[in-house]
Amino acid sequence: MKLKDIIKLGEKYCYCPSCGNDKIGNDEGKLIVEEHTYYRECSCGFNILIDDRKDEI
């Protein structure tokens, strides 16, 4: 995944769209960035997986 796409997604999902939480770690949420995927999870149950091979960023 390109750095510009990671930054763009980070700006969009920095705050959870469901509850507004901006924390990761310590059971607050997760942020996992791999070669083609961006995964953001929140303790409220929100999660999103974006795959740059399939999804438009």
Side-chain angles (χ1 to χ4, degrees), residues 36 49 51-56:
H36 294 287
L49 175 64
D51 187 328
D52 69 1
R53 296 169 290 187
K54 298 187 286 185
D55 303 316
E56 186 175 323

Side-chain angles (χ1 to χ4, degrees), residues 4-51:
K4 68 180 181 90
D5 294 334
I6 295 168
I7 292 170
K8 188 176 182 181
L9 291 168
E11 290 173 349
K12 186 172 184 178
Y13 296 110
C14 176
Y15 293 95
C16 173
S18 296
C19 71
N21 184 6
D22 67 341
K23 296 176 176 48
I24 56 174
N26 295 327
D27 295 326
E28 289 288 329
K30 295 179 185 177
L31 176 63
I32 302 170
V33 179
E34 295 181 338
E35 185 175 358
H36 294 287
T37 59
Y38 179 96
Y39 179 73
R40 170 75 162 96
E41 182 179 291
C42 182
S43 59
C44 75
F46 169 81
N47 66 63
I48 188 161
L49 175 64
I50 298 172
D51 187 328

